[in-house]
Amino acid sequence: MGERLGNTATGGAPVQQGGPLMWARALADLLTLSRLIGGVAIALIPWEKTISSLGKLIKYNLLLWSTDAVDGRIARHSQTPASWIGERDVLVDSALTLGTGVALARSGYIPGKLLLAWLGAMLVLYAVRPVTTLVLTFMFPLQLSLPVLAFVHGCPEIRLYIAWVALIAFVSRKRLKYVIEVFINGLPDRLSEWVWSWLPDWLRLTPEERGSFEESSIVDTGSLQTEDSGLSL
C-alpha cells in the first residue's frame, strides 16, 4: 500500500523542482509489481512443515514487504500521476498476503479449508460493502498468523521479524496512522464512533498530517476507497 497510502504524506517537505522522472515512476511500479509476482511465487513454491521452511517464508515476506516501504517514496519523487498499478497496490498487497496464506496451508500450518472459507467470506462481504476496511480485515489475520506461528514453533527468524516491524512502524508512523483512520472510517457508523471514542491521540493523525493526505487527488472508480470518508488507497 505504499503509493496510495503515502502519495502525499511528505510531512510538509517542499515539492522538488524539475520535470517528471519517468524512470522513477517505472521503478516504483516494478517494485509494486514485484510483490504480486512474489505472492504468486510464494504460493507455488514447495513448502514443508519445518522450522527452516517457516523461517524462509518469513525472510521472503520481509523482503517483499520492504518494497512497500519504498515504492511510494520513489513514486512521489517521480512527480508523475499515479499509474494504474500504483492506484491498485492494495490489491497487490492482498495478493501477497493470500500467497503467504496459501504457503502456510500447503505446509500444514493452517487448514486449507479455513483459508478458502475466509477468502470466500471476505469476497462476499466486499461485494456487499466495497470498502478498504474489508481488504485490510482480510489481510490482518493472515499476516498475523506468520509471526504467531514462528513464535509458537520457536523459529529464530521471529526476532528479525519483530525488529523489522518496529523499524517500519517508526519510519512510516504517519502512514500507519492513516491506515488506522482509513480502517476505522470504513466500519459501520456506530462501531466507528465507538472506536474513535477510545483511540489514543498518538494513533490519530494531526490536522496537518491529515491535510497532507487529503490534498491527494481522488482516484477513479477502479480504485479502492472508503465509502464514507473519501480516503483512498
Side-chain angles (χ1 to χ4, degrees):
M1 288 177 279
E3 181 173 346
R4 294 308 305 161
L5 285 177
N7 60 352
T8 56
T10 57
V15 177
Q16 296 181 357
Q17 301 298 320
L21 301 175
M22 299 310 299
W23 66 266
R25 165 56 60 186
L27 177 58
D29 288 348
L30 285 174
L31 288 172
T32 303
L33 186 61
S34 70
R35 295 199 296 282
L36 176 60
I37 297 173
V40 174
I42 285 177
L44 297 178
I45 292 175
W47 297 99
E48 300 175 350
K49 195 174 184 179
T50 62
I51 300 301
S52 61
S53 185
L54 190 58
K56 184 185 298 183
L57 182 57
I58 287 178
K59 291 177 181 177
Y60 286 169
N61 262 262
L62 297 187
L63 176 62
L64 291 168
W65 282 114
S66 294
T67 67
D68 188 48
V70 298
D71 60 355
R73 298 174 186 271
I74 296 174
R76 292 193 300 274
H77 179 71
S78 73
Q79 301 184 64
T80 60
S83 63
W84 186 88
I85 191 171
E87 291 178 346
R88 291 159 179 82
D89 65 350
V90 68
L91 297 179
V92 172
D93 295 342
S94 62
L96 173 54
T97 301
L98 178 59
T100 300
V102 171
L104 290 173
R106 293 186 64 194
S107 60
Y109 281 108
I110 63 174
K113 292 182 179 179
L114 179 61
L115 175 62
L116 286 175
W118 180 243
L119 174 61
M122 290 296 100
L123 288 174
V124 170
L125 289 174
Y126 188 80
V128 175
R129 182 178 170 84
V131 293
T132 304
T133 298
L134 288 173
V135 181
L136 297 174
T137 300
F138 166 73
M139 295 169 61
F140 181 73
L142 295 179
Q143 287 299 136
L144 184 63
S145 62
L146 184 58
V148 169
L149 288 167
F151 176 79
V152 170
H153 292 278
C155 181
E157 281 78 8
I158 186 61
R159 293 189 292 270
L160 176 63
Y161 188 97
I162 293 173
W164 181 88
V165 169
L167 176 62
I168 294 299
F170 175 77
V171 173
S172 303
R173 54 192 180 278
K174 292 180 182 179
R175 188 176 132 209
L176 176 61
K177 290 190 288 184
Y178 182 70
V179 173
I180 293 172
E181 182 163 305
V182 168
F183 177 83
I184 296 173
N185 286 339
L187 295 171
D189 292 341
R190 290 187 178 181
L191 181 57
S192 177
E193 292 174 2
W194 177 75
V195 175
W196 282 124
S197 69
W198 56 259
L199 190 73
D201 289 341
W202 61 273
L203 286 177
R204 299 170 182 253
L205 289 170
T206 65
E208 293 77 14
E209 291 169 343
R210 185 178 296 104
S212 68
F213 283 103
E214 291 175 347
E215 288 172 3
S216 61
S217 58
I218 303 297
V219 297
D220 61 24
T221 56
S223 302
L224 295 173
Q225 59 183 14
T226 58
E227 182 176 66
D228 300 319
S229 66
L231 299 173
S232 60
L233 292 183

